[in-house]
């Protein structure tokens, strides 16, 4: 929100405030995407740590399976609305979606000094190991 002071129809002063009431100097350039605490490397580490290749499956003509998961980071930094937007197989899809749903809180996206929802798509890669 903002307070504006006018004198004879001309803007002479403007103060902007964030959602907690603190004054903000620059509102024109404030936009941040949602970010995982620790950055992209921490996100990749988290994502791969909990993935596993279902034992009873073997992929022929490839050593990888990819599931793309779409999800939302809400205004509080929680993962919501996760689903397999590019599915591979129900068992793989379930593992990928669950890993993203179990994510720790993110730093929420900010637009015009307000926390906003941020929509993401994440390819989740399952690697098949050969013995």
């Amino acid at each position: 929100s903002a307070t504006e002071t006018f004198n004879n129809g001309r803007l002479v002063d403007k103060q902007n405030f964030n959602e907690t009431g603190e004054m903000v100097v620059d509102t024109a350039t404030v936009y941040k995407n949602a970010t995982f605490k620790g950055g992209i490397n921490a996100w990749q580490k988290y994502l791969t740590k909990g993935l596993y290749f279902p034992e009873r499956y073997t992929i022929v003509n490839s050593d990888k399976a990819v599931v793309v998961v779409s999800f939302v980071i809400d205004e509080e930094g929680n993962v919501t609305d996760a689903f397999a937007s590019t599915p591979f197989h129900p068992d793989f899809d379930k593992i990928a979606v669950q890993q993203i749903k179990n994510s720790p809180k993110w730093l929420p996206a900010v637009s015009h000094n307000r926390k906003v929802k941020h929509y993401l798509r994440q390819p989740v890669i399952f690697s098949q190991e050969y013995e």
Side-chain angles (χ1 to χ4, degrees):
S1 64
T3 59
E4 297 177 337
T5 305
F6 290 86
N7 186 3
N8 292 327
R10 296 185 67 204
L11 180 66
V12 293
D13 186 42
K14 182 175 181 178
Q15 295 178 330
N16 297 291
F17 302 90
N18 66 16
E19 55 197 9
T20 61
E22 299 168 358
M23 191 162 56
V24 179
V25 178
D26 181 14
T27 62
T29 60
V30 179
Y31 179 81
K32 294 187 290 185
N33 289 332
T35 54
F36 189 75
K37 293 178 185 175
I40 190 72
N41 291 336
W43 171 242
Q44 290 299 325
K45 185 177 178 180
Y46 163 79
L47 196 57
T48 57
K49 185 178 180 180
L51 291 181
Y52 59 93
F53 198 94
E55 290 181 24
R56 63 181 185 216
Y57 295 100
T58 302
I59 299 175
V60 179
N61 297 328
S62 182
D63 60 349
K64 295 179 185 173
V66 179
V67 176
V68 178
V69 178
S70 294
F71 58 103
V72 175
I73 304 300
D74 70 13
E75 298 88 344
E76 301 300 318
N78 300 306
V79 173
T80 63
D81 303 326
F83 68 97
S85 53
T86 306
F88 174 73
H89 181 279
D91 289 345
F92 289 84
D93 303 345
K94 182 179 177 182
I95 294 167
V97 168
Q98 195 60 47
Q99 182 65 5
I100 291 199
K101 281 183 176 180
N102 290 339
S103 166
K105 282 193 172 206
W106 289 53
L107 300 173
V110 176
S111 179
H112 303 292
N113 294 314
R114 303 269 185 215
K115 293 176 184 175
V116 295
K117 289 182 180 180
H118 188 81
Y119 299 85
L120 295 166
R121 289 172 44 99
Q122 175 67 54
V124 178
I125 301 169
F126 294 85
S127 295
Q128 181 171 280
E129 296 180 15
Y130 295 102
E131 296 179 5

